[in-house]
Amino acid sequence: MQPPHSGGGGGGKKLKGEAPPAVAAIGDDLLGDILLRLPDTASLSRAALACKRWRRVASDRALLRRFHSLHHRPPLVGVILSDRWDSSIPFRCPDLQFLPVPSRNPHLAAAAGAGDFFFADLPENDSPGSERVPRESWLLRCCDGGLLLLSGARWYSKNLAVYDPFSRAAVFFRRPQDFDDFFAAHYAFLADEPDASFRVVAAQFFGERVEAAVFSSRTREWSPLPSFRLRGSWNARDGARAGRFLYWQSNTRKYYDSDGKERALLLDTSTMEWSFTEVPFPIGESYCAADMAEHGGLCLVGGREQCLQLWARSGGAWVMKKQVALLKQFVFLKEIRREEWMKRLRPLAVKGDYVLMEFWSIRKSNSYFLLLNLKTMTLEMVKNNSVEPYRGTAFPFFMSWAPPLLSPGL
């Protein structure tokens, strides 16, 4: 597997010392208002190259938070696809494929070409006490805020890294010392985009009990979380982020003693409190979680018979709030289904008003990625022409609100 070649915009220009006199006369507040009107973070990064002052204003944390609130959809750079293994425990490094999302924005297209999404340029880990991990033996575990969470490929490996595929910088650390060496750790990842800090939650599942700890890039230390009692069958995979929530699916279908019910373990990162829920989908059906204020917080998005379903909690139960019959709403999908046997729908992520999902077939190796705006009911489609089936975990890569150029650094 070869890493993607850098696009034409990957190199950038050196920062100039001073702005022209007319531009220098503009105050910082007015300059900040001008920068807020740029269309996306790739354009903000390019503007910051004008001079040192522009970079200082553009990298202000308050401005980046305002930029975040004004731009409801972070630009989707692409999707990192992986092939499938039959166990929730990663015994090997899967093959990866990066599918860039075409864009008319040249800066965003350059970002897709310049990113090291296969972590080929990951620096050597020279931190004390860490075993050496061959460059090709790092495993992608999670993705959030423009950063990748990696671990050593073997399930018992204690090495972890958070990698920025644009700046090629990495933070190396070890999993919690008091974790049981005979049980795999399942990770979830939360990036705070405005200041480039992050947290990693590591969880170990012992039958009906979960033990966990959280790592903060600010303190560079692990802190234990309260243990939590579970009910039912658990064969957890790595977790994912849904706004302020982190969640782990029970992966019931792969459990040898299943009770036939799919569940999700939830961690509210604003309170660091655990909860769990039985999801309103049959086992084996794909779904993802979302944090949607207009529906009271936690929501679930699933796909059934080419219909997208949005569920929210009401009175302690899951209630369907919206259903979109994709073949009726978008007639051209009916032709794709008929000609290419595309029948399965896999929701991957919800960002703002947008749902990213994969439209695929068990008979074909190719697929289609659909980006649906739930408010405007407009649909963008990207074809995946892969000759090999990539049916493992898919990692949507949204460009960070705070690009590497503007971040304080890892």
Side-chain angles (χ1 to χ4, degrees), residues 2-23:
Q2 295 296 325
H5 297 289
S6 297
K13 298 179 181 179
K14 293 183 179 179
L15 289 170
K16 298 178 182 179
E18 298 180 0
V23 178

Side-chain angles (χ1 to χ4, degrees), residues 12-16 44-51 54-55 405:
K13 298 179 181 179
K14 293 183 179 179
L15 289 170
K16 298 178 182 179
L44 185 62
S45 293
R46 300 278 293 187
L49 290 171
C51 64
W54 281 41
R55 176 171 180 172
L405 176 65

Side-chain angles (χ1 to χ4, degrees), residues 95-155:
D95 291 331
L96 299 178
Q97 177 188 11
F98 177 70
L99 176 68
V101 172
S103 174
R104 288 175 289 184
N105 185 325
H107 309 310
L108 190 57
D116 178 27
F117 303 107
F118 301 141
F119 30 94
D121 295 331
L122 183 74
E124 292 290 339
N125 180 10
D126 55 2
S127 56
S130 295
E131 70 262 22
R132 183 181 179 278
V133 178
R135 192 175 302 275
E136 69 277 3
S137 296
W138 286 95
L139 178 69
L140 178 59
R141 307 297 293 263
C142 304
C143 173
D144 188 51
L147 300 174
L148 307 177
L149 174 64
L150 312 175
S151 76
R154 295 181 175 87
W155 68 268

Side-chain angles (χ1 to χ4, degrees), residues 275-288:
S275 62
F276 79 99
T277 184
E278 185 176 316
V279 303
F281 309 115
I283 61 171
E285 189 167 295
S286 298
Y287 69 94
C288 67

